[in-house]
Amino acid sequence: LNTLTKGSRQDPPLSPTFNTALRLGEPQPNGNNGVIPGVAPVRGHQRRHSSAGVFSLGPVDGRSSVDESLSSFKRSNAANPRAVSVAFNGEDNYLRGRQGNGLADIYDTDDPAEEKIRLMMDAKRLDEDVLDGLIRGLKIPAPSLTNPPAMKEILFPANLISLVTNEMWKYGLITESERFLANVMQAIQSHVMSFTGEDAIIPGIFWLSNVHEMLSFICVAESDMLEGIGPGEENSVRPFEWADYERLVSVVKHDLDSLEYNIYHTWMSEVKKKLSKMVIPALIESQSLPGFTTTDGGGRLFNRILNSNTPPAFNMDDILNLLNKVWKSLKSYYMEESVVQQAITELLKLIGVNSFNDLLMRRNFSSWKRAMQIQYNITRIEEWCKSHNMPEGTLQLEHLMQATKLLQLKKSTPADIEIIYDVCWMLSPMQIQRMCTNYYVADYENPISPEILRVVASRVQANDRNDHLLLTPESEEVSSYELPLPRDVSGLETYVPAYLNVSHLRRLAALVA
């Protein structure tokens, strides 16, 4: 699971659920043509065990048929066919979303519990509806701040997956829930990772929010479990093993934590790849401010040879549009404010660091006119941050802002240099020396005298290990994700959007409602 982050996480959870070597439904080679000595050959699918990979189920496992399970359930539960959910509304014990869910009021009047068990034990139909209909084939609602979608229109996948899990636990289908959740988590991660570039933003953030909702539900179950409250074991289809339930809740919480971490890193990595291509052309090279344009060939020898008049590949509108798309998705899909802050801050840091390092290394860009253009571009980002209630975001651009001020200040006397050191307090002596040395003098300016350059050089300490020329480069690797607190889950929605072709899941949700 740590492959996406290249070891940048402190003590990452090692999740066996996403071991790429695991293959559901295929025998494990053991040198005996797939036959385990002493165990009769098993027909059908193998089961995945979240903490131990894949293993075979032989006759010794004591598996019973669906009919036997149902018969046993009916005998042991004739007087009380309905189970108690671990996800309840403390005020009235009714599941959230009972009204106005768009479902027909359909019940098996003879025994709705029996029908629910049949639906949950039909693994093939359940997987088709959830893995294909709810995850891979889902048309994600478009993010919008002018007409934001309702919360249930965004979080219904998490609610339905949690609802199935909850019902399985109520009826003692612990093994089935383990297989179901392993497939769900694997499908979500592989689906999100299939997107590249800007296309990864919407599915990445949508599933980030849904996985956090699922994790919040598991936290409720864990809290109940620690108080000795189980998922209604008196109504179980088969004998309820408390130890198995405890282990499963612990493993699922662990794996959902890892899944959320990986989803964030997946889409953020793709956004940073896209943004890193935009920063230099848009912020450093583009000249949007009329009256201060300069023809210096774009600063690259290769560009000057080809065509000095070629406009930059990206402009500031491209950067702001990308920031807007990320912001709109995070807000529309109900992500926590802490996640919004860390995502936007990380993108702004990439903009500030990469543009500053580039400007520092370009000789003919250290000019008064270029500084005016760059300052104008910075102002557009400042305005974006203020309009999105993130004025502190501009702190990530402070080095670049001070560099543009240095280029605009006078550099004629030692007193001028003192002013530069006061104004540009974040810049190191080595960075100030490089920018003064590189300063590109226009026809109407006097060159910086050798005496002033000596004054600047005298500030540089040869053995100062803290005086670095370049800022630590912002790579496309993603900073550590700070997991937000669990959400308040008082119950589970049974809402199934009308446009979804998931009849099996829709029937189960109707029975629960």
Side-chain angles (χ1 to χ4, degrees):
L1 267 187
N2 212 28
T3 54
L4 294 178
T5 58
K6 300 184 181 178
S8 63
R9 186 174 193 183
Q10 296 282 341
D11 300 323
L14 301 175
S15 170
T17 306
F18 303 120
N19 186 340
T20 53
L22 298 181
R23 293 179 294 176
L24 287 176
E26 294 185 27
Q28 298 295 301
N30 57 10
N32 295 303
N33 295 322
V35 179
I36 302 174
V39 178
V42 180
R43 303 180 69 86
H45 291 291
Q46 293 179 335
R47 301 276 183 179
R48 165 171 300 178
H49 193 287
S50 288
S51 62
V54 175
F55 64 96
S56 296
L57 290 173
V60 295
D61 293 280
R63 290 184 65 193
S64 58
S65 68
V66 176
D67 291 334
E68 289 170 342
S69 298
L70 288 171
S71 176
S72 170
F73 169 76
K74 287 172 127 178
R75 286 195 303 272
S76 64
N77 194 36
N80 182 21
R82 297 303 294 266
V84 179
S85 169
V86 299
F88 66 92
N89 185 313
E91 295 180 0
D92 54 16
N93 249 5
Y94 277 80
L95 289 176
R96 184 176 69 185
R98 291 172 62 87
Q99 303 297 329
N101 58 10
L103 296 171
D105 188 18
I106 46 178
Y107 287 90
D108 182 342
T109 53
D110 293 328
D111 195 347
E114 177 181 336
E115 184 177 359
K116 282 196 286 185
I117 293 166
R118 284 187 180 276
L119 290 169
M120 288 186 291
M121 295 190 76
D122 188 348
K124 182 181 177 185
R125 292 283 307 280
L126 194 60
D127 283 355
E128 284 177 358
D129 276 11
V130 176
L131 304 185
D132 294 329
L134 203 60
I135 299 174
R136 301 187 190 105
L138 179 66
K139 184 180 179 182
I140 296 173
S144 172
L145 295 179
T146 54
N147 186 23
M151 186 175 286
K152 69 176 185 179
E153 295 285 354
I154 299 302
L155 299 178
F156 67 85
N159 277 305
L160 292 172
I161 291 165
S162 298
L163 181 141
V164 173
T165 304
N166 192 52
E167 291 299 307
M168 286 181 168
W169 289 351
K170 281 163 58 177
Y171 295 108
L173 305 176
I174 303 299
T175 305
E176 288 78 1
S177 73
E178 191 164 13
R179 179 206 65 82
F180 171 73
L181 287 170
N183 286 338
V184 163
M185 288 188 277
Q186 203 166 40
I188 291 173
Q189 175 156 298
S190 60
H191 179 64
V192 171
M193 291 182 70
S194 68
F195 295 92
T196 58
E198 205 172 328
D199 293 339
I201 295 174
I202 289 177
I205 297 175
F206 177 84
W207 281 108
L208 183 71
S209 186
N210 272 276
V211 168
H212 191 64
E213 185 78 4
M214 291 163 61
L215 178 60
S216 301
F217 160 74
I218 296 298
C219 288
V220 172
E222 182 188 49
S223 176
D224 287 350
M225 181 186 74
L226 293 175
E227 294 180 11
I229 303 172
E233 62 267 28
E234 69 275 5
N235 300 313
S236 298
V237 172
R238 59 178 71 96
F240 185 85
E241 294 292 339
W242 184 263
D244 288 346
Y245 175 65
E246 280 187 316
R247 180 197 56 79
L248 177 60
V249 170
S250 176
V251 170
V252 170
K253 181 184 177 184
H254 195 266
D255 286 358
L256 284 170
D257 177 288
S258 298
L259 177 59
E260 184 173 349
Y261 186 87
N262 281 4
I263 289 174
Y264 178 85
H265 276 249
T266 298
W267 71 262
M268 179 58 85
S269 177
E270 292 299 320
V271 174
K272 291 183 79 171
K273 286 179 190 175
K274 177 79 173 178
L275 184 60
S276 63
K277 296 175 183 176
M278 296 180 174
V279 171
I280 306 308
L283 202 62
I284 303 298
E285 295 176 356
S286 69
Q287 302 185 75
S288 305
L289 191 62
F292 296 93
T293 55
T294 175
T295 55
D296 48 25
R300 304 288 192 204
L301 177 62
F302 186 67
N303 288 347
R304 292 201 297 271
I305 294 173
L306 286 178
N307 185 358
S308 62
N309 296 320
T310 303
F314 300 98
N315 57 41
M316 286 305 299
D317 287 337
D318 297 316
I319 286 184
L320 297 179
N321 288 338
L322 188 65
L323 292 175
N324 277 327
K325 189 170 185 178
V326 172
W327 173 274
K328 190 194 300 183
S329 299
L330 288 166
K331 289 292 187 178
S332 298
Y333 298 150
Y334 297 97
M335 276 313 303
E336 279 66 10
E337 187 61 30
S338 64
V339 179
V340 177
Q341 294 283 334
Q342 65 178 300
I344 299 298
T345 299
E346 186 163 353
L347 297 179
L348 291 173
K349 184 179 180 183
L350 182 146
I351 293 171
V353 170
N354 287 11
S355 55
F356 174 79
N357 286 347
D358 184 84
L359 178 62
L360 207 61
M361 300 306 292
R362 292 209 196 190
R363 185 174 182 83
N364 59 337
F365 268 49
S366 294
S367 67
W368 183 78
K369 281 189 175 181
R370 278 289 177 184
M372 293 292 290
Q373 294 288 353
I374 296 168
Q375 187 176 36
Y376 174 72
N377 292 335
I378 294 171
T379 302
R380 295 196 62 188
I381 298 179
E382 283 185 296
E383 290 171 352
W384 186 93
C385 290
K386 289 175 183 175
S387 66
H388 290 78
N389 297 317
M390 279 195 65
E392 69 281 0
T394 55
L395 293 174
Q396 306 301 327
L397 308 175
E398 189 63 34
H399 277 88
L400 183 64
M401 292 164 69
Q402 292 191 12
T404 59
K405 289 175 184 175
L406 184 151
L407 295 175
Q408 296 174 69
L409 289 170
K410 288 175 61 179
K411 308 166 195 64
S412 303
T413 67
D416 293 338
I417 302 303
E418 289 296 332
I419 293 173
I420 286 175
Y421 270 92
D422 288 339
V423 173
C424 307
W425 53 272
M426 282 191 78
L427 303 186
S428 70
M430 191 179 295
Q431 290 166 346
I432 291 175
Q433 182 194 25
R434 172 58 69 94
M435 299 208 73
C436 289
T437 305
N438 282 357
Y439 187 73
Y440 190 74
V441 181
D443 295 339
Y444 51 83
E445 292 180 296
N446 294 320
I448 301 175
S449 68
E451 178 192 351
I452 296 301
L453 292 177
R454 282 195 294 270
V455 171
V456 173
S458 67
R459 296 283 193 120
V460 179
Q461 301 284 333
N463 298 320
D464 187 354
R465 295 184 179 181
N466 296 320
D467 190 0
H468 301 292
L469 179 61
L470 298 176
L471 300 178
T472 304
E474 264 297 294
S475 65
E476 291 164 6
E477 289 186 28
V478 182
S479 301
S480 182
Y481 174 60
E482 296 295 330
L483 196 75
L485 293 173
R487 294 169 183 165
D488 182 19
V489 180
S490 59
L492 294 172
E493 280 276 4
T494 56
Y495 170 74
V496 183
Y499 59 83
L500 281 184
N501 183 23
V502 288
S503 56
H504 194 81
L505 187 59
R506 193 182 299 276
R507 175 64 176 168
L508 179 59
L511 289 170
V512 174

